Structure formats: structure tokens, C-alpha cells
Amino acid sequence: MSDAPKTDPTPIPANASDNPAPFAFELKKTDGRARRGAIRTPHGTVQTPAFMPVGTQATVKAMFMGHVEATGAEVVLGNTYHLMLRPTAERVNRLGGLHKFMNWNKTILTDSGGFQVMSLAQLRKLDEEGVRFQSHIDGQKYHLTPERSVEIQGLLGSDIQMQLDECIKLPASREEVQRAMELSLRWAARSRQQFETMGGPAKGQALYGIVQGGDVGDLRIRSAEELGKLPFEGYSVGGLAVGEPQEVMLEMLDITLPAMPEDKPRYLMGVGTPDDLLESVKRGIDQFDCVMPTRAGRHGLAYTRYGKVNLKNARHQDDHRPLDEASDCEATHHYSRAYLHHLVRTGEGLAAMLLTWNNIHYYQTLMREMREAIEAGRFDDFYQETKENWARGDIAAL
Amino acid sequence: MSDAPKTDPTPIPANASDNPAPFAFELKKTDGRARRGAIRTPHGTVQTPAFMPVGTQATVKAMFMGHVEATGAEVVLGNTYHLMLRPTAERVNRLGGLHKFMNWNKTILTDSGGFQVMSLAQLRKLDEEGVRFQSHIDGQKYHLTPERSVEIQGLLGSDIQMQLDECIKLPASREEVQRAMELSLRWAARSRQQFETMGGPAKGQALYGIVQGGDVGDLRIRSAEELGKLPFEGYSVGGLAVGEPQEVMLEMLDITLPAMPEDKPRYLMGVGTPDDLLESVKRGIDQFDCVMPTRAGRHGLAYTRYGKVNLKNARHQDDHRPLDEASDCEATHHYSRAYLHHLVRTGEGLAAMLLTWNNIHYYQTLMREMREAIEAGRFDDFYQETKENWARGDIAAL
């Protein structure tokens, strides 16, 4: 059926949740550099390329998890930084793990906590051992090391865990980029050791290494090559979408991806806009996460197949049409733009509930369509059509 | 089947929404003074006694209307004051009416706007003609008269409309109470005239008169008797739960209800706690509305059959049990108290979504159980059991 390199002799069943087995990645098909695959975790199968809605504090903001599932999402992301502060990893563990806690029985990926320590915490102090910081909530002191991060993620019961790394803002000097990348490599080895000590592989869980190197091509390549020597189940591309133009990000992907193992999933962290997803899948990325669809939903912005719609705009106030007549999302087709505009303008919670749902639905639809296009060997056509639809702009005026 | 006085020779079918017919009230059964009935409107049948969730700005805050319906609610309330400001009655009318606008195909009751003009608007000036005020949002000037209020409610397409009245805060002098009550009577006649001019009765809609008279028994009786001479489809008891103790409210019901027509629905406005509902049904009230279950849900408070639970309290942080193990509400039994506590403490929107849903579900369950108790002629037993459950307090400790 597929002409892609097989990395797993046994195809992954559609739903493996009742069949505990080792973590696995199957690359089913390629179309150009775009990849169609599947990831097996202790909580089922994730069809890739996949977008992972962000469930920061054990909730995808303003959504019921049943609706998240109904959009087609097979994996959500949890934030180690937030969860270690409240309700704490130990408490989540006592309560039966993060899946049970947040009522989500599919795959969970957690980050290492490092990124948010750097963006949210107070009085940060980073050294070889790890990072000391104070909680942004109550000033309580914490010490996050590569080992502690993996321990926390294990306590949460995360299916796909991330190594602690140092992610720096761009622009930065080559020296600074190199220092952070090399530190991240040493932390990668310590993280891997801890993951194996905790029995992660035997539980079917995964630990991903994170490629750093900022916008410096040869550092990216060295990071990818060094990480490839460690037996990670997958590899992330970190430190992008942190202030640089999209062209720089895509150039870094062009440089980095060929240096990464082909037979492991590739996760581009914290990305991005629908256009970022399209461009990155084209280059061979398998997994994404981003707060954009959820955050936009709380700010009156809707993603549709004809681009972004700002429901705050008064031009919607008499518009009886739904956001997207062709959408099969319940949040989208039962309500007029006039009603959505009213909810946004009056600050009603239902605005965030409906628009977040719409946006996650749109992101999942885009991913599904990309998967289908790769399967059909028509990714380039899909890429063109999708760009044309976005360029056409919001659905034609009344 | 029933030994209650029949007021409508044709029993109301279970769902009359496809069968446009005059507004009707059928009193099916009485048990002591408690009444079991049904109201037929252009949008279906409302089994009474009924609790009406408040949908202030064309949304029951933090809920999907599908979930409101699933709790058993057959009617929701819309606020004329809020809707006349945004998005305006004319706009709602152009968009097909309030039912379509907010995606609710069952009965809608609207208030007259008067209560919120008095509590929210700026620079109010009330005279015989009506009330002039400025919007609390942008200072825009409005003139609300009895005629305009009915006109707005007609534009919204409200099934059950309220006359404009003057509702004063208690305590107040007898003179002040009498003046406001007499003005409300004159406005009642003007409201009725306008309702008939607009063809409300032919559309199967209802206009309710509102009994005022504060905490002065003889004024309440006179208000009820005078209103009874006008052909209203139903009667509200207004001006209670505005600061007086519960005993005063119940005493006023004891005095007022015997003076009100038996063959028309009786609606106690803006009430109340579960205990208020139980006490008022016992005295013969058929309809209620209150922001309490929705507002409490946004503040971490849950109503259960064992009383009110404050999820903010740290004692819930390790409690793996659901809010109420016997509840059949999806919002209640999929989530631990520890998780609800976490959501409340972290300020997540899902806290309001789940607790509001739980609370509306509890209110509707209480109403259904009261209806069943009246049907079975065991309201007094139910009254005792329910009070005992509440007094028992929150579900036994771990």
C-alpha cells in the first residue's frame, strides 16, 4: 500500500488503547518531504501529522474534553511548569494521574517546564545542575533539574515526555546560542538516564530529545546529530517561533530536518499559525502544539478555511450567516456571525467557548486534510488550494 | 386522573411546539396548596412548577443551550434591559427573533426591563409616562414606557412577556409602596392595551401582570385583585427577594396568593435559593427565575442534594469523589472534587462551565422531584426529606 520506509514491521492498529505495547512510530507514506505516520502510545494511536491542543492547567481552556475529542484531536499537551505549581505532580499522581484528573483518556504529551520557567517564573537562576526559580503565583522556591522534570512528567503519567532544555530568545549571539545548545545536550543525556531509571520505556512511554541551536544552521545540525546518538523515541525542534520571522524558522527546518532520524517522530514545539503548519508539514514535521487557536478563541478571533475572522468587527453585527457554512462543527454552524459578534462585544463566556471550539476544530480539520492529501500523493495541490482559500479572505460579503 | 380544577377542557399535549395554539395553562393536580400544571406557549409546553434559568444577554452564562435543555429546562428568561441596549430589539427582530438568535427553540420569557433600569442604569427619571435613563455601557439615552417595553418584547418574539412595573427596594414607607403599586396598576392597563394592539394573544403569546405592594399585606391584596380584573394570561409576584428576610417573603405569599386567580400561572420573580423554591411551591407558586445557580457556578459554589459546596475550600484538594455520586449530570460525575477545586483555584473557565451546569441541573432536578411529589400527593413528605438532606450537609467526609 505504501512506498514509505517501514520503521515498524507491525502496522499500528487504529486504536491501540486496549493493547498496551511499546511506544512506536510508523511512517506510512511520504509525499515530497511531507510525512504521513502514526504514533502508538499507552493511550491510543495518534495519526500524524498531528496538532496537539494545549491543556495548560489540566484543561484546554474554555472547552469540554469531549468536544476536544470530537474535533478529532488524539493528543493534548500539558504544561509541567503550571502543573508542578498547582495542583503539584505528587497530588495528580495520588489522584490517579493526569489522564484521569482531567478526564482525557487519549494521549498526553507534556513539556519539560523549562520554557515557562524562563517566560513566567521570577528570580530565575540557571546553572549546569538545572534552574532555580520562584513561583509567579506565590513566590515559593523550586529547583527544576533534568532529572526532576522527567520525574514530574512520570508522576503525571505523561505518554510523551520532553527533556529539559534551555530555550533562548532570538536574536542572540552565536556564542550564547552555542552555550545553550551544548547545555541542552548534556541535559538530554541526564534526562534519558532518568527516564530509563524510572522505567519509562517499559511503560510504553516516550521521551523526546530537543534540537536547539537558534538560527545558526551548523549548531542546529550538530544538535540534531548528537541527539540522534541517544535512544530517544522522538525528536523535537525547539527554540523556534520565539521572535524570528517565518522565513528564518522555515530555513532552520530545511537545514535541521535532514540531520534528524527519519524513523522517529519530529515535533515542532509551540508552532503555530495555520500557514506555519502547512509549511512545516511540507518540510517533514509530524507534531505541533500551539496556544494560538485557544488564545485567539478567547479574544474574538476565529480561524476558518477562508482565513482569520475578527468577530469584534462591527461589520458582523447584522450578518445572519454562520462562520463557515461548510463546516461540520457544531460550534460553527448553529450560530450566526451576528450572535458571535454580540457575545464577543458583551464579553460573554460563550464567545470563548464557541470560538475556541471552532478554532480547534479548524486546526484538526486542516491536519486531517493534510494527512489525506499526503496519503493521496497530492500534498502540493492541497498546499496551493489551501493558500488560495486563505488569500481569498473571509467568506464573501453579504 | 386528576382531582384538580380543570381550567382548560383540552389537556395540553406533552410537546405542542408543532401545533400553534392559544397560550394556555392547565392546572393538573394540587397537593395542599402546591400546584402541578402545564403551560402551553408557541414554543412548547412548560411543566410546572418550573425554574427558568436566566439568559441575560441572549446566553445562559457559561452554558451551551443544548446542555441547558438536557437539564430539563423548558423555558429560559431573557432580560429586556440588556437586550434593548445590545444588540437592540430591532436587530434581534431582523435576525429572526431571540429564539433563533440564541439557538433556543423552547419557551422564552422576558422581563419588562424595569427592574434592571432601576438597578443598573444611570440618571434614571421616572414619571407617569415611563422611565428615562442612560445606558450603563455608553451613556446613550432611552425612554422606556409600558408600551415600548411590550413592543420590545414583541420584537424579541418572547412567548411570555411582563408588564412594566415599578419595583422598589425594601424597607420602604407605606406611602412609597402604595404609590409604586398604584403606578404599576396604571402601567398594567397600558401594557395590556399595547399587547393586544400588537396581536400578542393571536400569536399565542402571554402577557403577565405583576403584583406589587412591598411588604404591606393589604396593598398586595389590592394589587392582586385589581390586576385580576384585566385579562392577563398569568400573574407575577414582584418586589420580593429585594432585601427582606425570607419569613417576610413567605408571609407576603401567604397573604397574596389567595387573592390571585387560581386558573392562571403564578410566577415569583427573581427567586431564589433551593429552600425559597421549596417553600414557595408549597404555597402555590408555579414559576421561578433566579441568577443564583448561574452566578454561584461562576464563583466556585455548587448546589447539591446535600446543600451548597464551596469548591474553593482547600478540604477538596485531595478528594477524588465526584460532587454528587448519585447525580446523573455529566458535569458532576466525570470530575473529582479535587479537579473542580483545582479549576476554581486556577481561575479556569471550565470551573464556571461545569459548576453552572451542575447547578442548573440540580435546580431542574429539584423542580422535577417537586412535580413528581405533587402528582403522587406526597409533597409534604418530599418537603421534609429534602430539608433533612440539606441539613445533613455536604456528602460525608472521606
Side-chain angles (χ1 to χ4, degrees):
Chain A
M1 291 283 286
S2 165
D3 57 358
K6 286 278 181 191
T7 60
D8 182 358
T10 315
I12 296 171
N15 190 328
S17 61
D18 296 330
N19 180 24
F23 179 92
F25 175 63
E26 180 195 359
L27 185 54
K28 298 178 175 187
K29 178 90 163 70
T30 57
D31 182 6
R33 284 183 285 155
R35 293 148 55 100
R36 173 74 182 91
I39 294 168
R40 182 177 58 204
T41 82
H43 288 88
T45 298
V46 178
Q47 302 298 327
T48 63
F51 178 80
M52 310 186 286
V54 176
T56 304
Q57 303 194 104
T59 157
V60 174
K61 287 183 193 296
M63 286 196 77
F64 293 113
M65 293 313 288
H67 291 163
V68 174
E69 185 170 345
T71 66
E74 294 172 317
V75 49
V76 299
L77 179 142
N79 283 123
T80 285
Y81 173 77
H82 288 284
L83 296 170
M84 73 185 281
L85 303 189
R86 292 187 304 198
T88 78
E90 282 71 14
R91 175 164 288 129
V92 172
N93 186 260
R94 285 197 300 274
L95 290 163
L98 186 55
H99 293 83
K100 187 177 175 195
F101 188 60
M102 69 188 287
N103 193 30
W104 174 254
N105 202 31
K106 293 184 173 258
T107 298
I108 291 176
L109 178 149
T110 45
D111 62 11
S112 70
F115 183 82
Q116 278 156 335
V117 166
M118 290 309 173
S119 58
L120 292 176
Q122 299 166 339
L123 297 175
R124 298 178 299 273
K125 190 162 175 291
L126 182 138
D127 60 19
E128 186 67 30
E129 200 183 356
V131 55
R132 293 176 195 277
F133 64 93
Q134 293 190 6
S135 158
H136 71 287
I137 302 162
D138 59 6
Q140 195 181 323
K141 291 179 183 173
Y142 293 87
H143 188 201
L144 189 64
T145 62
E147 291 78 10
R148 176 61 181 155
S149 175
V150 168
E151 184 185 29
I152 289 170
Q153 296 178 71
L155 286 166
L156 296 173
S158 169
D159 300 297
I160 305 178
Q161 306 173 20
M162 295 296 127
Q163 70 149 101
L164 188 68
D165 62 341
E166 185 187 359
C167 173
I168 57 169
K169 285 212 175 69
L170 296 180
S173 69
R174 179 188 170 93
E175 290 63 39
E176 178 63 5
V177 169
Q178 181 166 350
R179 185 201 55 73
M181 182 274 279
E182 289 175 348
L183 179 68
S184 296
L185 280 179
R186 294 191 295 277
W187 284 4
R190 286 168 55 189
S191 300
R192 186 71 213 174
Q193 181 60 51
Q194 177 70 19
F195 182 68
E196 294 188 356
T197 301
M198 288 186 66
K203 293 177 198 157
Q205 296 172 342
L207 179 70
Y208 284 21
I210 303 180
V211 177
Q212 288 289 356
D215 52 359
V216 186
D218 64 289
L219 296 180
R220 285 268 166 200
I221 291 170
R222 219 188 94 213
S223 176
E225 287 175 349
E226 292 298 319
L227 283 173
K229 296 175 187 168
L230 292 169
F232 287 112
E233 286 79 9
Y235 292 88
S236 306
V237 180
L240 293 177
V242 290
E244 79 288 0
Q246 191 200 38
E247 309 86 81
V248 174
M249 177 178 90
L250 299 179
E251 187 199 335
M252 284 301 113
L253 291 184
D254 287 335
I255 291 169
T256 309
L257 289 177
M260 291 169 69
E262 262 193 74
D263 60 348
K264 301 287 173 69
R266 300 160 167 182
Y267 159 32
L268 179 56
M269 304 180 82
V271 173
T273 64
D275 190 60
D276 289 337
L277 303 187
L278 189 66
E279 292 290 353
S280 302
V281 165
K282 183 180 166 75
R283 287 164 171 80
I285 293 290
D286 306 305
Q287 291 174 262
F288 302 89
D289 80 283
C290 192
V291 296
M292 211 164 277
T294 39
R295 183 171 291 166
R298 299 196 303 283
H299 290 88
L301 299 169
Y303 288 99
T304 78
R305 97 206 126 97
Y306 297 116
K308 210 151 108 175
V309 180
N310 183 349
L311 271 314
K312 270 182 243 155
N313 199 304
R315 78 184 166 93
H316 301 294
Q317 68 186 0
D318 286 305
D319 195 337
H320 59 86
R321 296 167 311 162
L323 208 41
D324 181 350
E325 279 160 42
S327 172
D328 58 351
C329 178
E330 210 184 308
T332 307
H333 68 185
H334 282 325
Y335 305 90
S336 66
R337 290 165 170 234
Y339 183 63
L340 296 171
H341 169 76
H342 166 72
L343 294 177
V344 170
R345 289 291 279 262
T346 51
E348 285 287 349
L350 187 59
M353 292 161 65
L354 290 174
L355 295 180
T356 303
W357 189 359
N358 171 80
N359 290 350
I360 293 293
H361 184 91
Y362 177 70
Y363 267 60
Q364 295 301 337
T365 300
L366 176 63
M367 300 314 294
R368 177 175 48 74
E369 290 176 350
M370 286 199 277
R371 291 193 297 267
E372 289 167 358
I374 298 167
E375 277 170 21
R378 58 179 297 282
F379 186 80
D380 284 345
D381 288 347
F382 177 78
Y383 174 95
Q384 286 301 334
E385 291 157 17
T386 302
K387 294 244 176 186
E388 280 162 22
N389 278 333
W390 288 336
R392 188 189 123 177
D394 187 12
I395 299 176
L398 282 166
Chain B
M1 291 285 286
S2 164
D3 58 359
K6 286 279 183 191
T7 60
D8 182 358
T10 315
I12 296 172
N15 190 329
S17 62
D18 296 331
N19 180 23
F23 179 92
F25 175 64
E26 179 195 359
L27 185 55
K28 297 178 174 185
K29 179 91 163 69
T30 56
D31 182 6
R33 285 182 285 156
R35 294 148 54 99
R36 173 74 182 91
I39 293 168
R40 182 177 59 205
T41 82
H43 288 87
T45 299
V46 178
Q47 301 298 327
T48 63
F51 178 81
M52 310 186 287
V54 176
T56 304
Q57 302 194 106
T59 157
V60 175
K61 286 182 193 296
M63 286 196 76
F64 293 112
M65 294 311 290
H67 291 163
V68 174
E69 184 170 346
T71 66
E74 294 173 316
V75 49
V76 299
L77 179 141
N79 283 124
T80 285
Y81 173 76
H82 288 284
L83 295 170
M84 72 184 281
L85 303 189
R86 292 187 305 199
T88 77
E90 281 71 15
R91 175 165 288 129
V92 171
N93 187 261
R94 283 198 301 274
L95 290 163
L98 186 55
H99 293 82
K100 187 177 173 194
F101 188 60
M102 69 187 287
N103 192 30
W104 174 255
N105 202 31
K106 292 183 175 259
T107 298
I108 291 176
L109 179 148
T110 45
D111 62 11
S112 70
F115 183 82
Q116 278 156 334
V117 166
M118 290 309 173
S119 58
L120 293 176
Q122 299 167 338
L123 297 176
R124 299 178 298 274
K125 191 162 175 291
L126 182 137
D127 60 20
E128 186 67 31
E129 200 183 355
V131 55
R132 293 176 196 277
F133 65 92
Q134 293 190 5
S135 158
H136 71 287
I137 302 162
D138 59 7
Q140 195 181 323
K141 290 178 183 173
Y142 293 88
H143 189 201
L144 189 63
T145 62
E147 292 78 10
R148 175 63 180 154
S149 175
V150 168
E151 184 185 28
I152 289 170
Q153 296 178 72
L155 286 165
L156 295 172
S158 169
D159 300 298
I160 306 178
Q161 307 173 21
M162 295 295 128
Q163 70 149 103
L164 189 67
D165 62 341
E166 185 187 0
C167 174
I168 57 171
K169 285 213 175 69
L170 298 179
S173 69
R174 180 188 169 93
E175 290 63 38
E176 178 64 6
V177 169
Q178 181 167 351
R179 184 201 56 72
M181 181 274 279
E182 289 175 349
L183 179 68
S184 296
L185 280 179
R186 294 190 295 277
W187 285 3
R190 286 168 54 189
S191 301
R192 187 71 213 173
Q193 181 60 51
Q194 177 70 19
F195 182 67
E196 295 189 355
T197 301
M198 289 186 66
K203 292 177 199 156
Q205 296 171 342
L207 179 70
Y208 284 20
I210 303 180
V211 177
Q212 288 288 356
D215 53 0
V216 185
D218 64 289
L219 296 180
R220 285 267 167 201
I221 291 170
R222 218 188 93 214
S223 176
E225 287 175 350
E226 292 298 320
L227 284 172
K229 296 174 187 168
L230 292 168
F232 288 112
E233 286 79 7
Y235 293 88
S236 305
V237 181
L240 292 177
V242 290
E244 79 287 0
Q246 191 199 39
E247 309 86 82
V248 174
M249 178 179 88
L250 299 179
E251 187 199 336
M252 285 301 114
L253 291 184
D254 288 334
I255 291 169
T256 309
L257 289 177
M260 290 169 70
E262 262 194 74
D263 59 349
K264 301 288 174 67
R266 299 159 169 183
Y267 160 33
L268 179 56
M269 304 179 83
V271 173
T273 64
D275 190 61
D276 289 337
L277 303 188
L278 189 66
E279 293 289 354
S280 302
V281 166
K282 183 180 165 74
R283 287 164 172 81
I285 293 290
D286 306 305
Q287 291 174 261
F288 302 90
D289 80 283
C290 193
V291 296
M292 211 165 275
T294 39
R295 183 171 290 166
R298 298 196 301 283
H299 291 87
L301 299 169
Y303 289 98
T304 78
R305 91 207 131 98
Y306 297 116
K308 211 151 109 174
V309 180
N310 183 350
L311 271 313
K312 270 181 243 156
N313 199 303
R315 78 184 167 93
H316 301 294
Q317 68 186 359
D318 285 305
D319 195 337
H320 58 86
R321 296 167 310 162
L323 208 42
D324 181 351
E325 280 161 40
S327 172
D328 58 350
C329 178
E330 211 185 308
T332 305
H333 68 185
H334 283 324
Y335 306 90
S336 66
R337 289 165 171 236
Y339 183 61
L340 295 171
H341 169 76
H342 166 72
L343 294 177
V344 170
R345 289 291 280 261
T346 51
E348 285 287 349
L350 187 59
M353 292 161 64
L354 290 174
L355 295 180
T356 302
W357 189 359
N358 171 81
N359 290 351
I360 293 292
H361 184 91
Y362 177 69
Y363 268 60
Q364 295 301 336
T365 301
L366 177 63
M367 300 312 296
R368 177 175 48 75
E369 290 176 350
M370 286 200 276
R371 290 193 297 266
E372 289 167 358
I374 298 166
E375 277 170 20
R378 57 179 298 282
F379 186 81
D380 284 345
D381 289 347
F382 177 80
Y383 174 97
Q384 286 302 334
E385 292 157 17
T386 302
K387 294 242 176 188
E388 281 162 22
N389 279 332
W390 290 334
R392 188 190 122 177
D394 188 13
I395 300 176
L398 281 168

